[in-house]
Amino acid sequence: MAADCCYEVSQIAYVKLVLHALKHPSSAVNGLLLGRLRQDGSTATVEVADAVPLSHAQIGLLPALEIALIQIEEHFEAEGLSVVGYYHANERHNDLELGNAAKKIGDHIFRFFPRAAVLLLDNNKLQKLKTGKGRDPAVQLYTRDSSRSWRQTGSDGSNQLTLKEPAANIVLFDYISSEKWQQIVDFDDHLDDISKDWLNPGLFD
Amino acid sequence: MVGAEEAARLDRLEIQVENGGGGAWEYLCLVRKLKPRRSDKVLKHGLAILNDPKARSNLGGEEWTLYEQVAFAAFDCQQHNVAKVFSLSLSLPLHIKSEKHLMDCVAVLSKEFPGSLRVGRLEGMLLEAENSWAEAEKVYARLLEDNPLDQIIYKRKVAIAKAQGDLKVAVDFLNKYLEIFMSDHDAWRELAEIYVSLQMYKQAAFCYEELLLSQPTVSLYHLAYAEANESQCIEYSGFIILLFLRFLLTAFIEQVLYTMGGLENLLTAKKYYASTITLSGGKNTRALYGICLCSAAISQLTKGRSKEEKESSDLPSLAAEALLRDYKYRAPKKLPLLNSMLKNMKLSS
């Protein structure tokens, strides 16, 4: 998509995805981003309203992903939201490349939502957060460009990533200090024990 | 594989020790036996014992084992992984000192057991933890000269490749290792997992086949084999189910004209999901879902083919029923979602 588009990530989605990554430090994690497209005149904004953590083990295995996509889509349809993107955190700390598995899943989401966003967790920025100097979101945004490949968008690029609530990083730091990540549940956890809810209700109460 | 009872005991002990109820040594022994990855807890409680001269002398000869265990835990916690850095620095004031302790542990051990292979490995791992890969490789090469059949050193080489992101090299090393030590189940599993992360499902399935041959009653291998097969099919046809649910027509018809290979994979997957269910007493949610997905995909793909090739068994509807029952009791809020999904797959009415 060549047109300009803003991507606004809500605090809930942002915090959930970071906490998910923190809960499973020795493996890759991924999840889906839910939201809607808002058109204000000539500007399009993708509002990422929520995130659902998917897995933390054997991300390459697809059956669980299929089931999750079906159920998540159905659930959020009632709230007027649909799958608008995907997030991924790499296994290794200094790996800032968008892997093939992530690209494939991103491609699939792109087929249904052409302005799909892929967020990749940036560990360096996350580390800065700890010192209180972090102002940027600790994620990198990738979108599909006209050459059908996923490209990272810079802050001066045409696709802007913003955090909807400016204090999101501060809130995130609080949660990290209180080890909130231990409570987060992903779809994998649900499949292991169906009484665990991947919607994470009450996580932020 | 950790039994459920022992896993429960481990969790209980962990809570007890965390809340100051004692039993740290018992906990650490159990961790050594079961090998779960709880490095921050091991580091915390292990160091507490090591720093207390009285507790340490109570251990007698086991003291050295504890040094080694704490060293391993410290390696893991030092790993260039932000979360551990966070959790350690925020909840464990020993973090800044633990690097020193780590080197102390290794130093103490090499003093006590000079020239030992076991300690040599620790020294190699210390270098790994500091990301000095080349130095670590040198240490391991030296150790391998004297101990050419040491399995752990081979595995460290794989770990180094993995940590540097060289998955193809890791795969290479693992394959060479398995040519020598072909009955090492952990290695087959590791190789399978790496293949899955590279989306090389056929190769992953091969690894699981080896595991199935040697340990046919482990339900997890059946499940993993089924999932690898199904992933292979999904790869060909690109999320077959989702397409049929949403696109409904055009794009899907193209997918239907796909290779026979996909159908075979689905049939294999279904078979192994079924065996997983048998082995796990019907309690494995992933396998039940797997049967549903496979059956729906198979029936879509065999639409229009002769009747003999069609599925005629109760298995899919039984699996659906089992899922519905389970959700009704344990996850009632999700029951409507499950119901509608199964309805769309025509597995429930």
Side-chain angles (χ1 to χ4, degrees):
Chain A
M1 297 307 281
D4 277 11
C5 188
C6 293
Y7 291 84
E8 197 184 71
V9 179
S10 74
Q11 184 172 296
I12 297 182
Y14 177 61
V15 170
K16 268 193 199 172
L17 77 88
V18 176
L19 290 181
H20 186 213
L22 290 176
K23 185 170 180 191
H24 305 283
S26 54
S27 58
V29 300
N30 66 358
L32 292 176
L33 301 172
L34 285 310
R36 59 172 80 83
L37 180 63
R38 195 179 75 220
Q39 201 88 30
D40 304 312
S42 57
T43 343
T45 310
V46 173
E47 300 179 349
V48 176
D50 204 348
V52 173
L54 281 180
S55 33
H56 56 268
Q58 304 249 59
I59 285 187
L61 287 178
L62 304 175
L65 175 61
E66 279 227 29
I67 298 169
L69 273 169
I70 294 171
Q71 294 195 1
I72 290 173
E73 284 249 340
E74 168 126 4
H75 173 88
F76 281 96
E77 206 179 3
E79 295 178 24
L81 298 174
S82 58
V83 175
V84 298
Y86 166 78
Y87 73 80
H88 191 99
N90 281 324
E91 193 176 17
R92 289 179 304 116
H93 171 80
N94 47 10
D95 183 359
L96 283 177
E97 220 184 279
L98 193 63
N100 278 329
K103 282 187 190 156
K104 283 207 173 135
I105 300 178
D107 284 339
H108 177 70
I109 296 177
F110 173 79
R111 260 190 263 161
F112 296 107
F113 186 73
R115 291 180 195 270
V118 171
L119 294 180
L120 183 67
L121 186 71
D122 185 330
N123 278 317
N124 297 325
K125 289 198 187 147
L126 188 58
Q127 211 151 6
K128 278 210 195 108
L129 266 185
K130 185 213 160 193
T131 59
K133 294 207 183 86
R135 291 280 170 264
D136 302 332
V139 288
Q140 293 175 357
L141 170 67
Y142 286 79
T143 47
R144 274 274 287 256
D145 65 11
S146 38
S147 66
R148 308 180 76 191
S149 58
W150 290 94
R151 271 212 309 152
Q152 189 186 343
T153 59
S155 53
D156 50 342
S158 56
N159 292 335
Q160 289 254 18
L161 172 71
T162 49
L163 290 175
K164 184 168 172 203
E165 291 92 338
N169 269 339
I170 300 176
V171 171
L172 178 60
F173 182 54
D174 259 343
Y175 283 137
I176 295 175
S177 321
S178 58
E179 298 200 0
K180 191 86 171 172
W181 69 76
Q182 292 186 12
Q183 297 167 26
I184 200 155
V185 165
D186 62 15
F187 209 85
D188 251 356
D189 296 326
H190 173 77
L191 288 177
D192 289 335
D193 175 0
I194 59 173
S195 60
K196 294 198 177 150
D197 193 345
W198 41 263
L199 281 171
N200 289 291
L203 179 65
F204 299 120
D205 288 343
Chain B
M1 300 275 164
V2 179
E5 213 183 284
E6 298 203 290
R9 191 165 140 238
L10 182 69
D11 289 329
R12 261 200 318 274
L13 268 174
E14 190 173 275
I15 297 176
Q16 186 187 314
V17 177
E18 281 286 301
N19 293 331
W25 179 241
E26 201 192 334
Y27 171 69
L28 290 168
C29 288
L30 196 54
V31 168
R32 260 208 309 282
K33 182 176 166 212
L34 302 177
K35 303 195 185 151
R37 200 165 175 174
R38 310 268 172 109
S39 305
D40 49 346
K41 305 269 181 329
V42 168
L43 186 59
K44 184 164 145 194
H45 302 300
L47 273 180
I49 298 185
L50 287 176
N51 284 333
D52 178 5
K54 190 156 160 255
R56 215 172 61 222
S57 59
N58 273 343
L59 296 176
E62 304 264 339
E63 185 186 347
W64 310 115
T65 321
L66 183 60
Y67 269 115
E68 193 188 28
Q69 187 178 13
V70 169
F72 282 136
F75 290 135
D76 209 13
C77 293
Q78 292 297 342
Q79 229 169 38
H80 35 243
N81 189 302
V82 178
K84 294 282 191 194
V85 168
F86 267 121
S87 65
L88 281 179
S89 61
L90 293 171
S91 64
L92 187 60
L94 297 170
H95 168 66
I96 311 295
K97 296 183 212 149
S98 67
E99 174 128 9
K100 176 176 176 303
H101 285 294
L102 170 59
M103 304 211 285
D104 280 348
C105 281
V106 179
V108 163
L109 281 169
S110 37
K111 198 164 137 201
E112 182 67 20
F113 304 100
S116 136
L117 167 65
R118 212 161 144 178
V119 179
R121 286 199 294 247
L122 271 182
E123 284 167 5
M125 285 176 78
L126 180 56
L127 289 165
E128 274 186 69
E130 293 166 358
N131 290 4
S132 315
W133 311 119
E135 304 292 329
E137 297 217 5
K138 275 194 210 139
V139 170
Y140 291 138
R142 187 176 34 95
L143 289 171
L144 266 181
E145 268 170 25
D146 300 326
N147 309 277
L149 287 178
D150 188 270
Q151 297 181 289
I152 299 191
I153 297 186
Y154 278 109
K155 292 186 188 180
R156 288 321 312 163
K157 288 181 63 158
V158 175
I160 291 181
K162 231 182 140 184
Q164 292 181 286
D166 271 329
L167 287 182
K168 300 269 158 83
V169 171
V171 162
D172 235 359
F173 278 158
L174 259 180
N175 272 314
K176 289 207 185 90
Y177 169 85
L178 282 166
E179 275 170 34
I180 312 174
F181 304 103
M182 51 193 86
S183 58
D184 187 333
H185 301 139
D186 284 337
W188 282 112
R189 264 173 49 205
E190 178 69 30
L191 185 55
E193 282 179 22
I194 298 181
Y195 278 135
V196 164
S197 70
L198 291 170
Q199 296 118 61
M200 295 164 73
Y201 301 116
K202 199 155 142 209
Q203 290 83 344
F206 176 76
C207 296
Y208 287 123
E209 278 168 13
E210 291 287 326
L211 286 166
L212 282 169
L213 277 174
S214 53
Q215 295 185 291
T217 56
V218 175
S219 63
L220 284 179
Y221 296 151
H222 289 252
L223 181 66
Y225 186 59
E227 291 193 323
N229 270 292
E230 205 187 340
S231 299
Q232 219 179 318
C233 168
I234 291 176
E235 263 248 300
Y236 281 144
S237 17
F239 296 89
I240 214 176
I241 304 291
L242 204 47
L243 283 175
F244 102 72
L245 283 178
R246 291 196 48 171
F247 267 33
L248 290 177
L249 286 172
T250 47
F252 187 67
I253 292 179
E254 281 149 34
Q255 306 295 344
V256 173
L257 300 174
Y258 87 154
T259 61
M260 211 21 211
L263 182 61
E264 268 168 29
N265 285 327
L266 279 178
L267 289 169
T268 312
K270 189 165 166 186
K271 198 162 103 185
Y272 281 88
Y273 278 129
S275 55
T276 308
I277 295 181
T278 318
L279 286 171
S280 59
K283 296 219 178 68
N284 195 308
T285 313
R286 289 171 203 263
L288 291 168
Y289 267 125
I291 299 257
C292 296
L293 271 184
C294 276
S295 308
I298 290 172
S299 64
Q300 278 299 111
L301 292 171
T302 53
K303 222 189 233 178
R305 292 191 187 199
S306 60
K307 284 268 161 68
E308 303 100 63
E309 283 182 33
K310 284 213 179 209
E311 289 291 323
S312 54
S313 90
D314 292 328
L315 187 53
S317 42
L318 283 174
E321 250 177 75
L323 271 175
L324 286 167
R325 229 181 7 242
D326 214 8
Y327 268 75
K328 187 164 158 209
Y329 286 116
R330 294 202 294 144
K333 291 202 202 134
K334 295 280 181 296
L335 189 56
L337 282 180
L338 175 66
N339 231 331
S340 112
M341 182 178 110
L342 291 173
K343 275 211 186 87
N344 280 327
M345 292 179 179
K346 304 215 175 64
L347 287 169
S348 118
S349 43

